[in-house]
Amino acid sequence: MQEIIKALQQPESYPHPINDLKTIITAVSIVFLTGDFAYKINKPMNLGFLDFSTLERRKEQCEKEVKYNSLISPDLYLGVVPITQTESGKISIDGKGKIIEYAVKMKQMNPQATMNNLLQEKKITTQNVKELAKTIHQFHLKAPANEEISTFGKFDSVKFNWDENFQQTEKYKDKLIATRLFTEIQEKINNFLTENKNFIEQRVKKNKIKHCHGDFHSGNVFFEKDKPLVFDGIVFNQRFPCSDVIAEIAFMAMDLDFH
């Protein structure tokens, strides 16, 4: 992987002109900004909830990412491209030789034009938020839904997710959160779930469970000429993005309240 990263930091590895080549490294991926286009590759890793350990799995991840994210931002996601290596060792995007990796090709946006940055600069208007609401609504109308996806919205699944949250964060009591507050939140959540069990099951019957974006917050929204472009939807598993559409909306509402 280091050999690929080093190669893709060189302009001659690309089939088009380069303008100010930059690299962004995240926990599970690496993004190369080239000026007009961005290329994202996934690290060869297995964290349990995601498995990018083989080339075939990384290819599948790229294909899913383009397929699902194109439903919400078709202008942003341009396809999957191979990364190749010749017998002499030259590594290229969509070049000659053996395929050694795959990348998601995207239209490059201004990294500073994400909604969270624009909120801090007080550049987000009421109309911007309305346009974002329309975008997510239109996406939810066509987002995938089937019997398997619906199971993730059932009461037992929702309860499992909350129980897991508390189990995984309990060790941080009195370190990041007071025990009293942790217990109060846990009690409120459990009471809410118990009181609304029938309502939650009714949402499933009304087909409100979709393969949503899964990480719909202001850091995953670009604004270009006042048009919202939502990116980086979760596709590495189903449990995270498959949920009630109202939960997805609530996640963004919570983030906007924070800002």
Side-chain angles (χ1 to χ4, degrees):
M1 180 58 68
Q2 289 302 318
E3 185 182 16
I4 295 173
I5 295 171
K6 186 176 179 180
L8 295 186
Q9 291 173 331
Q10 307 303 318
E12 57 268 22
S13 298
Y14 297 86
H16 52 75
I18 299 298
N19 179 23
D20 195 20
L21 189 56
K22 293 181 180 178
T23 306
I24 299 174
I25 300 177
T26 72
V28 299
S29 63
I30 302 137
V31 181
F32 302 91
L33 304 179
T34 68
D36 292 330
F37 305 107
Y39 296 88
K40 177 183 175 183
I41 63 175
N42 296 301
K43 297 178 181 179
M45 62 198 318
N46 185 347
L47 299 178
F49 61 87
L50 64 78
D51 185 356
F52 301 159
S53 57
T54 68
L55 178 61
E56 192 58 36
R57 287 183 183 277
R58 294 194 295 280
K59 178 186 179 184
E60 182 182 13
Q61 164 69 14
C62 289
E63 292 171 343
K64 285 182 178 179
E65 185 168 350
V66 171
K67 177 183 176 181
Y68 284 103
N69 282 282
S70 292
L71 290 175
I72 190 169
S73 293
D75 296 337
L76 191 58
Y77 285 80
L78 304 178
V80 179
V81 294
I83 298 171
T84 57
Q85 186 173 30
T86 64
E87 290 184 2
S88 63
K90 178 177 172 54
I91 295 174
S92 306
I93 291 283
D94 202 10
K96 296 179 180 180
K98 178 183 177 182
I99 296 175
I100 59 172
E101 195 54 76
Y102 291 91
V104 173
K105 183 180 181 180
M106 296 173 282
K107 176 182 176 182
Q108 183 172 320
M109 305 297 296
N110 176 5
Q112 298 305 310
T114 53
M115 190 179 184
N116 59 328
N117 289 330
L118 297 174
L119 282 163
Q120 291 179 0
E121 297 170 5
K122 301 191 182 303
K123 292 181 179 179
I124 291 295
T125 66
T126 299
Q127 187 59 35
N128 290 152
V129 177
K130 288 181 178 180
E131 290 298 322
L132 181 61
K134 289 180 184 178
T135 297
I136 199 66
H137 171 65
Q138 291 165 357
F139 166 63
H140 285 160
L141 289 176
K142 57 189 175 184
N146 55 42
E147 189 172 341
E148 181 186 5
I149 289 172
S150 290
T151 62
F152 293 96
K154 291 183 176 181
F155 177 83
D156 288 345
S157 296
V158 176
K159 181 73 163 58
F160 176 86
N161 288 338
W162 275 111
D163 288 344
E164 183 182 66
N165 282 341
F166 289 118
Q167 288 165 6
Q168 293 179 346
T169 54
E170 189 167 13
K171 60 186 176 183
Y172 298 109
K173 288 192 296 188
D174 287 332
K175 295 179 181 177
L176 296 178
I177 182 171
T179 296
R180 176 193 56 77
L181 184 56
F182 182 96
T183 302
E184 182 181 346
I185 293 171
Q186 189 173 22
E187 289 175 353
K188 284 181 178 291
I189 292 296
N190 288 334
N191 289 339
F192 178 89
L193 291 174
T194 301
E195 293 167 4
N196 290 278
K197 182 176 182 178
N198 291 336
F199 175 73
I200 291 170
E201 295 292 357
Q202 284 298 316
R203 294 288 292 177
V204 177
K205 293 177 181 177
K206 291 180 179 180
N207 298 317
K208 299 299 183 181
I209 314 305
K210 303 286 186 80
H211 189 298
C212 296
H213 179 276
D215 201 17
F216 185 52
H217 60 82
S218 59
N220 281 340
V221 180
F222 285 118
F223 270 93
E224 183 181 50
K225 298 178 181 178
D226 291 329
K227 178 185 177 182
L229 293 169
V230 184
F231 66 98
D232 223 14
I234 292 176
V235 294
F236 52 75
N237 70 22
Q238 285 190 295
R239 186 156 69 94
F240 292 178
C242 294
S243 70
D244 193 318
V245 294
I246 202 67
E248 177 135 287
I249 295 168
F251 194 60
M252 176 62 79
M254 175 181 66
D255 189 38
L256 295 181
D257 279 346
F258 168 78
H259 282 285

Short mmCIF file of all heavy atoms in Angstrom, two decimals, residues 145-186:
data_model
loop_
_atom_site.label_atom_id
_atom_site.label_comp_id
_atom_site.label_asym_id
_atom_site.label_seq_id
_atom_site.Cartn_x
_atom_site.Cartn_y
_atom_site.Cartn_z
N ALA A 145 -35.09 -0.33 -0.29
CA ALA A 145 -35.90 -0.86 0.82
C ALA A 145 -36.36 -2.26 0.44
O ALA A 145 -36.78 -2.49 -0.69
CB ALA A 145 -37.10 0.04 1.08
N ASN A 146 -36.23 -3.17 1.38
CA ASN A 146 -36.74 -4.53 1.17
C ASN A 146 -36.94 -5.19 2.53
O ASN A 146 -36.72 -4.56 3.58
CB ASN A 146 -35.79 -5.35 0.27
CG ASN A 146 -34.36 -5.40 0.81
OD1 ASN A 146 -34.15 -5.56 2.02
ND2 ASN A 146 -33.38 -5.27 -0.08
N GLU A 147 -37.32 -6.45 2.51
CA GLU A 147 -37.62 -7.14 3.77
C GLU A 147 -36.39 -7.25 4.67
O GLU A 147 -36.49 -7.06 5.89
CB GLU A 147 -38.17 -8.54 3.46
CG GLU A 147 -38.71 -9.25 4.69
CD GLU A 147 -39.42 -10.56 4.32
OE1 GLU A 147 -39.80 -10.72 3.14
OE2 GLU A 147 -39.58 -11.40 5.22
N GLU A 148 -35.23 -7.52 4.06
CA GLU A 148 -34.00 -7.63 4.86
C GLU A 148 -33.65 -6.29 5.49
O GLU A 148 -33.31 -6.21 6.68
CB GLU A 148 -32.84 -8.11 3.99
CG GLU A 148 -31.54 -8.27 4.77
CD GLU A 148 -30.35 -8.62 3.88
OE1 GLU A 148 -30.51 -8.64 2.65
OE2 GLU A 148 -29.26 -8.85 4.44
N ILE A 149 -33.70 -5.21 4.70
CA ILE A 149 -33.40 -3.87 5.22
C ILE A 149 -34.36 -3.51 6.35
O ILE A 149 -33.95 -2.92 7.36
CB ILE A 149 -33.46 -2.84 4.08
CG1 ILE A 149 -32.26 -3.02 3.13
CG2 ILE A 149 -33.49 -1.41 4.62
CD1 ILE A 149 -32.32 -2.19 1.87
N SER A 150 -35.63 -3.90 6.23
CA SER A 150 -36.63 -3.56 7.25
C SER A 150 -36.30 -4.15 8.61
O SER A 150 -36.66 -3.58 9.65
CB SER A 150 -38.02 -4.05 6.81
OG SER A 150 -38.50 -3.28 5.73
N THR A 151 -35.59 -5.30 8.63
CA THR A 151 -35.28 -5.92 9.92
C THR A 151 -34.42 -5.02 10.80
O THR A 151 -34.47 -5.12 12.03
CB THR A 151 -34.54 -7.27 9.72
OG1 THR A 151 -33.29 -7.05 9.06
CG2 THR A 151 -35.37 -8.22 8.88
N PHE A 152 -33.64 -4.13 10.17
CA PHE A 152 -32.77 -3.25 10.95
C PHE A 152 -33.54 -2.15 11.68
O PHE A 152 -32.99 -1.46 12.53
CB PHE A 152 -31.71 -2.63 10.04
CG PHE A 152 -30.72 -3.62 9.50
CD1 PHE A 152 -30.90 -4.18 8.24
CD2 PHE A 152 -29.62 -4.02 10.24
CE1 PHE A 152 -30.00 -5.11 7.73
CE2 PHE A 152 -28.72 -4.95 9.75
CZ PHE A 152 -28.91 -5.50 8.49
N GLY A 153 -34.81 -1.98 11.32
CA GLY A 153 -35.63 -0.97 12.00
C GLY A 153 -36.56 -1.54 13.05
O GLY A 153 -37.26 -0.78 13.73
N LYS A 154 -36.55 -2.87 13.19
CA LYS A 154 -37.42 -3.49 14.19
C LYS A 154 -36.94 -3.18 15.60
O LYS A 154 -35.79 -2.85 15.82
CB LYS A 154 -37.49 -5.00 13.95
CG LYS A 154 -38.22 -5.36 12.67
CD LYS A 154 -38.35 -6.88 12.50
CE LYS A 154 -39.16 -7.22 11.25
NZ LYS A 154 -39.31 -8.67 11.06
N PHE A 155 -37.86 -3.29 16.53
CA PHE A 155 -37.57 -2.90 17.92
C PHE A 155 -36.32 -3.59 18.46
O PHE A 155 -35.46 -2.94 19.07
CB PHE A 155 -38.77 -3.22 18.82
CG PHE A 155 -38.51 -2.91 20.27
CD1 PHE A 155 -38.67 -1.62 20.76
CD2 PHE A 155 -38.08 -3.90 21.15
CE1 PHE A 155 -38.41 -1.33 22.09
CE2 PHE A 155 -37.82 -3.61 22.48
CZ PHE A 155 -37.98 -2.31 22.94
N ASP A 156 -36.21 -4.90 18.27
CA ASP A 156 -35.07 -5.63 18.82
C ASP A 156 -33.75 -5.12 18.25
O ASP A 156 -32.73 -5.07 18.96
CB ASP A 156 -35.21 -7.13 18.53
CG ASP A 156 -36.29 -7.78 19.37
OD1 ASP A 156 -36.73 -7.16 20.36
OD2 ASP A 156 -36.71 -8.91 19.03
N SER A 157 -33.74 -4.73 16.97
CA SER A 157 -32.52 -4.20 16.35
C SER A 157 -32.17 -2.83 16.91
O SER A 157 -31.00 -2.55 17.20
CB SER A 157 -32.70 -4.11 14.83
OG SER A 157 -32.89 -5.38 14.26
N VAL A 158 -33.18 -1.98 17.07
CA VAL A 158 -32.94 -0.65 17.63
C VAL A 158 -32.44 -0.77 19.07
O VAL A 158 -31.50 -0.08 19.48
CB VAL A 158 -34.23 0.20 17.57
CG1 VAL A 158 -34.02 1.55 18.25
CG2 VAL A 158 -34.67 0.39 16.12
N LYS A 159 -33.07 -1.66 19.83
CA LYS A 159 -32.67 -1.87 21.22
C LYS A 159 -31.23 -2.40 21.29
O LYS A 159 -30.43 -1.97 22.14
CB LYS A 159 -33.62 -2.87 21.89
CG LYS A 159 -33.33 -3.17 23.37
CD LYS A 159 -33.70 -2.01 24.25
CE LYS A 159 -33.81 -2.40 25.72
NZ LYS A 159 -32.60 -2.96 26.30
N PHE A 160 -30.89 -3.33 20.39
CA PHE A 160 -29.53 -3.88 20.36
C PHE A 160 -28.51 -2.77 20.12
O PHE A 160 -27.45 -2.73 20.79
CB PHE A 160 -29.42 -4.94 19.27
CG PHE A 160 -28.03 -5.50 19.10
CD1 PHE A 160 -27.59 -6.56 19.86
CD2 PHE A 160 -27.14 -4.93 18.18
CE1 PHE A 160 -26.30 -7.07 19.71
CE2 PHE A 160 -25.85 -5.43 18.03
CZ PHE A 160 -25.43 -6.50 18.79
N ASN A 161 -28.79 -1.88 19.18
CA ASN A 161 -27.85 -0.79 18.88
C ASN A 161 -27.64 0.11 20.09
O ASN A 161 -26.49 0.51 20.38
CB ASN A 161 -28.38 0.04 17.71
CG ASN A 161 -28.28 -0.70 16.38
OD1 ASN A 161 -27.50 -1.62 16.23
ND2 ASN A 161 -29.09 -0.31 15.41
N TRP A 162 -28.70 0.43 20.81
CA TRP A 162 -28.56 1.29 21.98
C TRP A 162 -27.81 0.57 23.11
O TRP A 162 -26.95 1.16 23.76
CB TRP A 162 -29.93 1.76 22.46
CG TRP A 162 -30.37 2.98 21.73
CD1 TRP A 162 -31.39 3.09 20.83
CD2 TRP A 162 -29.78 4.28 21.82
NE1 TRP A 162 -31.46 4.38 20.36
CE2 TRP A 162 -30.50 5.13 20.95
CE3 TRP A 162 -28.72 4.82 22.55
CZ2 TRP A 162 -30.18 6.49 20.79
CZ3 TRP A 162 -28.40 6.15 22.40
CH2 TRP A 162 -29.13 6.97 21.53
N ASP A 163 -28.16 -0.70 23.33
CA ASP A 163 -27.45 -1.47 24.37
C ASP A 163 -25.96 -1.53 24.06
O ASP A 163 -25.12 -1.39 24.96
CB ASP A 163 -28.03 -2.88 24.46
CG ASP A 163 -29.42 -2.92 25.08
OD1 ASP A 163 -29.81 -1.91 25.71
OD2 ASP A 163 -30.11 -3.94 24.92
N GLU A 164 -25.62 -1.72 22.80
CA GLU A 164 -24.23 -1.78 22.40
C GLU A 164 -23.53 -0.44 22.64
O GLU A 164 -22.39 -0.39 23.11
CB GLU A 164 -24.12 -2.16 20.92
CG GLU A 164 -22.69 -2.32 20.43
CD GLU A 164 -22.62 -2.66 18.94
OE1 GLU A 164 -23.02 -1.79 18.13
OE2 GLU A 164 -22.19 -3.77 18.61
N ASN A 165 -24.22 0.66 22.33
CA ASN A 165 -23.65 1.99 22.58
C ASN A 165 -23.26 2.16 24.04
O ASN A 165 -22.16 2.64 24.36
CB ASN A 165 -24.67 3.08 22.20
CG ASN A 165 -24.75 3.31 20.70
OD1 ASN A 165 -23.84 2.95 19.97
ND2 ASN A 165 -25.84 3.91 20.26
N PHE A 166 -24.16 1.78 24.92
CA PHE A 166 -23.89 1.95 26.35
C PHE A 166 -22.81 0.98 26.85
O PHE A 166 -21.98 1.34 27.69
CB PHE A 166 -25.18 1.78 27.16
CG PHE A 166 -26.15 2.92 26.98
CD1 PHE A 166 -27.41 2.71 26.44
CD2 PHE A 166 -25.79 4.21 27.33
CE1 PHE A 166 -28.29 3.76 26.27
CE2 PHE A 166 -26.66 5.28 27.17
CZ PHE A 166 -27.92 5.05 26.63
N GLN A 167 -22.80 -0.23 26.31
CA GLN A 167 -21.76 -1.20 26.70
C GLN A 167 -20.37 -0.71 26.29
O GLN A 167 -19.40 -0.85 27.04
CB GLN A 167 -22.06 -2.55 26.04
CG GLN A 167 -23.25 -3.28 26.63
CD GLN A 167 -23.73 -4.42 25.74
OE1 GLN A 167 -23.10 -4.74 24.73
NE2 GLN A 167 -24.85 -5.03 26.11
N GLN A 168 -20.28 -0.12 25.10
CA GLN A 168 -18.99 0.30 24.57
C GLN A 168 -18.50 1.62 25.18
O GLN A 168 -17.32 1.93 25.09
CB GLN A 168 -19.06 0.41 23.05
CG GLN A 168 -19.25 -0.93 22.36
CD GLN A 168 -19.35 -0.81 20.85
OE1 GLN A 168 -19.54 0.29 20.30
NE2 GLN A 168 -19.22 -1.92 20.16
N THR A 169 -19.39 2.38 25.80
CA THR A 169 -18.99 3.67 26.37
C THR A 169 -18.98 3.68 27.89
O THR A 169 -18.55 4.66 28.50
CB THR A 169 -19.95 4.79 25.88
OG1 THR A 169 -21.31 4.41 26.17
CG2 THR A 169 -19.81 5.00 24.38
N GLU A 170 -19.39 2.58 28.50
CA GLU A 170 -19.46 2.52 29.96
C GLU A 170 -18.10 2.77 30.61
O GLU A 170 -18.01 3.38 31.68
CB GLU A 170 -20.01 1.16 30.40
CG GLU A 170 -20.31 1.10 31.88
CD GLU A 170 -21.13 -0.13 32.24
OE1 GLU A 170 -21.25 -1.03 31.39
OE2 GLU A 170 -21.63 -0.18 33.37
N LYS A 171 -17.02 2.33 29.95
CA LYS A 171 -15.69 2.49 30.53
C LYS A 171 -15.26 3.96 30.60
O LYS A 171 -14.25 4.27 31.24
CB LYS A 171 -14.68 1.68 29.73
CG LYS A 171 -14.56 2.07 28.27
CD LYS A 171 -13.64 1.12 27.51
CE LYS A 171 -13.59 1.44 26.03
NZ LYS A 171 -12.76 0.47 25.28
N TYR A 172 -16.00 4.84 29.95
CA TYR A 172 -15.63 6.26 29.97
C TYR A 172 -16.38 7.05 31.04
O TYR A 172 -16.23 8.27 31.13
CB TYR A 172 -15.89 6.87 28.59
CG TYR A 172 -15.06 6.23 27.50
CD1 TYR A 172 -15.65 5.41 26.54
CD2 TYR A 172 -13.68 6.42 27.44
CE1 TYR A 172 -14.89 4.81 25.55
CE2 TYR A 172 -12.91 5.81 26.46
CZ TYR A 172 -13.52 5.02 25.52
OH TYR A 172 -12.77 4.41 24.54
N LYS A 173 -17.19 6.34 31.85
CA LYS A 173 -17.88 7.02 32.94
C LYS A 173 -16.87 7.65 33.89
O LYS A 173 -15.88 7.02 34.26
CB LYS A 173 -18.79 6.04 33.70
CG LYS A 173 -20.02 5.62 32.93
CD LYS A 173 -21.04 4.88 33.79
CE LYS A 173 -20.53 3.58 34.31
NZ LYS A 173 -21.61 2.80 34.98
N ASP A 174 -17.13 8.88 34.27
CA ASP A 174 -16.27 9.68 35.16
C ASP A 174 -14.92 10.04 34.52
O ASP A 174 -14.03 10.57 35.19
CB ASP A 174 -16.05 8.98 36.50
CG ASP A 174 -17.30 9.02 37.37
OD1 ASP A 174 -18.09 9.98 37.22
OD2 ASP A 174 -17.49 8.10 38.18
N LYS A 175 -14.77 9.72 33.23
CA LYS A 175 -13.59 10.16 32.47
C LYS A 175 -14.02 11.20 31.44
O LYS A 175 -13.47 12.30 31.39
CB LYS A 175 -12.92 8.97 31.79
CG LYS A 175 -12.32 7.97 32.75
CD LYS A 175 -11.69 6.79 32.02
CE LYS A 175 -11.12 5.77 32.99
NZ LYS A 175 -10.56 4.57 32.29
N LEU A 176 -15.01 10.83 30.63
CA LEU A 176 -15.54 11.77 29.64
C LEU A 176 -16.96 12.22 29.98
O LEU A 176 -17.42 13.23 29.46
CB LEU A 176 -15.54 11.12 28.25
CG LEU A 176 -14.16 10.77 27.67
CD1 LEU A 176 -14.33 10.09 26.32
CD2 LEU A 176 -13.29 12.01 27.54
N ILE A 177 -17.64 11.46 30.82
CA ILE A 177 -19.01 11.80 31.20
C ILE A 177 -19.25 11.34 32.64
O ILE A 177 -18.79 10.27 33.05
CB ILE A 177 -20.02 11.13 30.23
CG1 ILE A 177 -21.46 11.52 30.58
CG2 ILE A 177 -19.85 9.61 30.22
CD1 ILE A 177 -22.47 11.07 29.54
N ALA A 178 -19.95 12.15 33.40
CA ALA A 178 -20.24 11.81 34.79
C ALA A 178 -21.14 10.58 34.85
O ALA A 178 -22.05 10.43 34.02
CB ALA A 178 -20.92 12.99 35.49
N THR A 179 -20.89 9.71 35.82
CA THR A 179 -21.71 8.50 35.97
C THR A 179 -23.18 8.84 36.11
O THR A 179 -24.05 8.18 35.51
CB THR A 179 -21.23 7.70 37.19
OG1 THR A 179 -19.90 7.25 36.98
CG2 THR A 179 -22.13 6.49 37.45
N ARG A 180 -23.49 9.89 36.87
CA ARG A 180 -24.88 10.30 37.06
C ARG A 180 -25.55 10.63 35.73
O ARG A 180 -26.67 10.21 35.45
CB ARG A 180 -24.93 11.52 37.99
CG ARG A 180 -26.33 12.10 38.19
CD ARG A 180 -26.28 13.48 38.83
NE ARG A 180 -25.45 14.42 38.07
CZ ARG A 180 -25.87 15.02 36.95
NH1 ARG A 180 -27.08 14.76 36.45
NH2 ARG A 180 -25.08 15.87 36.32
N LEU A 181 -24.83 11.38 34.88
CA LEU A 181 -25.38 11.78 33.58
C LEU A 181 -25.51 10.57 32.65
O LEU A 181 -26.50 10.43 31.94
CB LEU A 181 -24.50 12.85 32.95
CG LEU A 181 -24.98 13.46 31.64
CD1 LEU A 181 -26.37 14.05 31.79
CD2 LEU A 181 -24.00 14.53 31.16
N PHE A 182 -24.51 9.70 32.67
CA PHE A 182 -24.53 8.49 31.85
C PHE A 182 -25.76 7.65 32.21
O PHE A 182 -26.51 7.21 31.32
CB PHE A 182 -23.26 7.68 32.08
CG PHE A 182 -23.14 6.44 31.25
CD1 PHE A 182 -22.43 6.45 30.05
CD2 PHE A 182 -23.73 5.24 31.66
CE1 PHE A 182 -22.31 5.30 29.28
CE2 PHE A 182 -23.61 4.09 30.91
CZ PHE A 182 -22.91 4.11 29.70
N THR A 183 -25.98 7.45 33.50
CA THR A 183 -27.11 6.64 33.97
C THR A 183 -28.44 7.30 33.60
O THR A 183 -29.38 6.62 33.18
CB THR A 183 -27.02 6.45 35.49
OG1 THR A 183 -25.78 5.82 35.81
CG2 THR A 183 -28.17 5.58 36.00
N GLU A 184 -28.50 8.61 33.73
CA GLU A 184 -29.73 9.34 33.40
C GLU A 184 -30.07 9.18 31.91
O GLU A 184 -31.23 8.94 31.56
CB GLU A 184 -29.56 10.83 33.74
CG GLU A 184 -30.80 11.66 33.47
CD GLU A 184 -30.59 13.13 33.81
OE1 GLU A 184 -29.59 13.45 34.49
OE2 GLU A 184 -31.41 13.96 33.37
N ILE A 185 -29.07 9.32 31.05
CA ILE A 185 -29.29 9.16 29.61
C ILE A 185 -29.74 7.73 29.30
O ILE A 185 -30.69 7.52 28.53
CB ILE A 185 -28.00 9.49 28.83
CG1 ILE A 185 -27.67 10.99 28.97
CG2 ILE A 185 -28.15 9.11 27.36
CD1 ILE A 185 -26.31 11.37 28.42
N GLN A 186 -29.07 6.77 29.90
CA GLN A 186 -29.42 5.37 29.66
C GLN A 186 -30.86 5.07 30.07
O GLN A 186 -31.60 4.40 29.35
CB GLN A 186 -28.45 4.45 30.41
CG GLN A 186 -28.58 2.97 30.06
CD GLN A 186 -27.49 2.14 30.69
OE1 GLN A 186 -26.88 2.54 31.68
NE2 GLN A 186 -27.21 0.98 30.12
#
